[in-house]
Amino acid sequence: MSSLLACDKIEPPYTEGVILSEKTILIEKFTGHQCSNCPEASRVIENELKTKFLNIHNNNNSSIISVAIHPGNVSLTNTDENYPYDFRTTSSDSISLNVGVVSFIPVGTINRISGGDAGNRCWSKDNWSEQAKSQLVDNSLNPIAKKINIQINTSVDVEKRIVDITTNVTTFIEDYDNYNLSLFIMEDSIIAPQKDGSDYIENYQHDHIYRCAVNGLYGEQLTLKNNHSVELNVNNNLNWTEDWNNLNNCYVVAYVYDTKSGVIEEAAKKNVYNE
């Protein structure tokens, strides 16, 4: 095992209200295009949480990665003539059932910690900030020590639409046999209808959309280096469709979690491809 580099020292004064973190956490937002309250939940993450929690190790960028998952067991993700774009996947259905999405959205997981006020590991948007804080800092607002660092590298065969992914992990955890590494693809800037409050927005921009798992729904046992390939085309990937074609707006997200508790320890994000 290799150890992590010491964090950069950031001198005061800090921006008022900002909380500095060593870790990066994952918020899984369960959403739907016919859900009138879901855009406001997205704004909570983008305008409140991502500006409130900043990462010391990452040039003060947000310490939060968010992904939007459309669960198939909730009617507000259904398609019809007004909402023709289908955001659902078989993987997202399984994830939503595993964490406790039952009958209403928006709800979200915060590093998949248990005890959610919306059931199982799901939390209502009004509690996202407090639960994110519990994962990033202690009671004195000191950053919780980062135990894992994930570096993602990608290369793309544009013609075949194959993405090769290498992850390098450094860790302070001595026994990481009970930790898994999971990888998935998400996409930004999809223009499709969305209900927002009482408004119907035909050209709404959908970001952080869950597209497909790379190394299985539950990932695989953590090693310090992993190599994977994923095909982002409809012929060889059941979760991909012909509408999902903008590699420039796609990202690889990697996260490491404890298989005993189910709680995510660390997360990272990397562009799939930049022209």
Side-chain angles (χ1 to χ4, degrees):
M1 291 184 296
S2 58
S3 61
L4 302 176
L5 296 175
C7 64
D8 297 330
K9 185 177 181 181
I10 299 178
E11 300 290 349
Y14 307 124
T15 302
E16 184 177 358
V18 166
I19 296 174
L20 298 176
S21 168
E22 290 193 11
K23 299 172 62 178
T24 299
I25 65 172
L26 178 65
I27 296 181
E28 295 164 305
K29 180 193 67 177
F30 296 92
T31 188
H33 50 187
Q34 297 192 51
C35 169
S36 60
N37 292 321
C38 287
E40 180 58 30
S42 296
R43 289 188 282 268
V44 167
I45 295 174
E46 298 304 316
N47 301 333
E48 179 183 336
L49 272 67
K50 288 190 176 181
T51 57
K52 180 177 182 180
F53 300 104
L54 299 181
N55 194 298
I56 296 171
H57 293 282
N58 196 24
N59 298 321
N60 269 8
N61 289 329
S62 173
S63 59
I64 292 172
I65 296 170
S66 62
V67 57
I69 299 175
H70 292 68
N73 63 316
V74 177
S75 62
L76 296 176
T77 64
N78 292 343
T79 58
D80 58 30
E81 62 181 6
N82 292 318
Y83 300 91
Y85 199 104
D86 196 349
F87 292 97
R88 298 167 296 183
T89 72
T90 55
S91 295
S92 58
D93 290 349
S94 298
I95 293 169
S96 64
L97 291 173
N98 287 343
V99 300
V101 179
V102 180
S103 60
F104 66 92
I105 50 178
V107 294
T109 68
I110 312 296
N111 263 6
R112 294 188 182 171
I113 57 176
S114 60
D117 68 314
N120 198 345
R121 299 177 188 270
C122 294
W123 300 83
S124 60
K125 62 181 175 62
D126 292 339
N127 284 322
W128 291 352
S129 180
E130 191 63 27
Q131 298 309 317
K133 181 179 174 181
S134 75
Q135 292 297 293
L136 295 171
V137 295
D138 63 19
N139 292 334
S140 300
L141 298 184
N142 296 313
I144 295 173
K146 185 175 184 177
K147 296 180 181 179
I148 290 175
N149 189 62
I150 307 169
Q151 181 182 22
I152 305 170
N153 295 298
T154 62
S155 63
V156 180
D157 184 323
V158 177
E159 183 177 347
K160 296 180 179 179
R161 299 186 61 79
I162 297 175
V163 182
D164 291 319
I165 304 165
T166 301
T167 53
N168 293 288
V169 176
T170 52
T171 177
F172 282 138
I173 298 173
E174 292 185 4
D175 182 7
Y176 50 87
D177 290 346
N178 295 318
Y179 287 79
N180 273 17
L181 171 72
S182 286
L183 303 166
F184 66 84
I185 304 293
M186 68 180 185
E187 184 178 354
D188 279 354
S189 303
I190 300 160
I191 306 302
Q194 171 71 49
K195 190 171 185 180
D196 187 352
S198 60
D199 296 329
Y200 172 81
I201 302 177
E202 185 174 4
N203 295 315
Y204 185 89
Q205 180 171 313
H206 297 260
D207 290 325
H208 318 128
I209 301 300
Y210 180 94
R211 288 315 202 184
C212 67
V214 172
N215 59 339
L217 185 61
Y218 301 103
E220 62 196 327
Q221 186 173 6
L222 176 64
T223 61
L224 296 185
K225 186 170 184 177
N226 295 75
N227 296 284
H228 292 283
S229 291
V230 59
E231 298 188 58
L232 305 187
N233 61 63
V234 67
N235 294 323
N236 297 299
N237 190 325
L238 294 177
N239 279 314
W240 208 259
T241 79
E242 292 179 354
D243 294 328
W244 305 354
N245 283 317
N246 195 340
L247 289 181
N248 289 327
N249 290 334
C250 288
Y251 299 85
V252 177
V253 176
Y255 64 91
V256 172
Y257 71 96
D258 185 334
T259 58
K260 291 183 176 180
S261 67
V263 174
I264 294 172
E265 180 63 41
E266 188 63 40
K269 182 177 79 171
K270 175 74 165 57
N271 296 72
V272 162
Y273 175 71
N274 288 306
E275 288 186 333

